[in-house]
Amino acid sequence: PSIMGPVVDGTHTLDVDLAPEDCVVAVLAETALSPTAVALLRLRWDGRRVARAEPTGDLYVVAVGVGAYRSPALHLQYPPKDARDLVTALREQQGRRYGKVETQLLVDGQASREAIRAGLRWLRQRVTPRDVAVLFLAGHGINDSGNGNYYYLPHEAENGNRDTMLPGDELQAALGQIAGKAVLFLDTCHAGNLRGAWQVDLSRFTNALSSVESGVVVFAASTPGQTSRESDRWGNGVFTKAVVEGLRGQGDYERSGLITVSVMELYISRREQELTRAEQTPTTAKPSTVTDFLLARVVPRRPFYKQWWFWGGLGAVAAGAVAIGVVEGLKVPTLTFN
């Protein structure tokens, strides 16, 4: 009944907007009880291909960071800065990877439940099949241990009162309706004074988001049983520090200048474990229908032997060696007699 279009001989037709590139279309039917198996259709784009150096599509970002909760017991230090730093890093991609970058930044008192919902509606309305949507959530996130449902805690959240929280299934539904590629950065497994029947385990939530039906790529700060760390040593939450560094090219191990989903996954994992001495491990979940795609474009890092400091240092060493040789050659031999 949700399919719109003419019916000919019992066949429904549906027009679908696709980006001008190779893609995979997933088709499934859903009843009140369950969805059917997914049918995959791989399509190859035969039209004009955009040069790799040319910005393609636009980027739309909603970044949420709550540290100063209405309840002082929930206070965290770095989520607002994390959200600002991510927005700054992504804005640098305007004219590089994307034609334009539009952002909404919601921190502390601005990050009410209704404001976040409005941001999700904005993403759904603006993003086309050619675009990328990014949702960043930093702050507290918990699961109801009774049913396993995930909740994000906006600014006004009250401990133990799920009616003041943002349900994960609402986030899933909103992100699943976005026409383009959708990426969620989730840094919400912080330790805190959360009382009652709550636990922190994102595995069920991330799996639901990265299903074929939702189609969202999820980067989460930690694995089940771990907490997300923030520290004055890093000046951020460790997850966001790794994400921002990765987007700015520190994860460009192949020196290609292309920061894809898989490149980010590798860098975030290595960097988090390095900073926390392997006590925090991030997770990435990606739908089977989503191929690796470009998140950011950076100036490729030059190999060390092409850097000016390498040859400058080598020249200084060589000059020093020559000077030592000359001095040694001018020394007068000393003879010792017994």
Side-chain angles (χ1 to χ4, degrees), residues 202-268:
L202 293 176
S203 55
R204 174 177 168 179
F205 179 55
T206 56
N207 288 339
L209 278 169
S210 61
S211 66
V212 171
E213 296 93 322
S214 296
V216 182
V217 176
V218 184
F219 292 94
S222 57
T223 55
Q226 297 179 339
T227 57
S228 296
R229 295 164 178 249
E230 55 178 12
S231 170
D232 294 337
R233 246 186 342 123
W234 308 313
N236 284 105
V238 64
F239 174 70
T240 303
K241 178 176 176 61
V243 169
V244 169
E245 290 179 351
L247 290 171
R248 286 180 167 156
Q250 291 184 237
D252 186 17
Y253 298 114
E254 295 183 355
R255 298 184 174 90
S256 66
L258 305 176
I259 308 301
T260 65
V261 168
S262 60
V263 169
M264 285 292 292
E265 179 181 8
L266 177 61
Y267 181 75
I268 294 171

Side-chain angles (χ1 to χ4, degrees), residues 37 98 170 279:
Y98 306 98
E170 187 174 333
E279 292 183 4

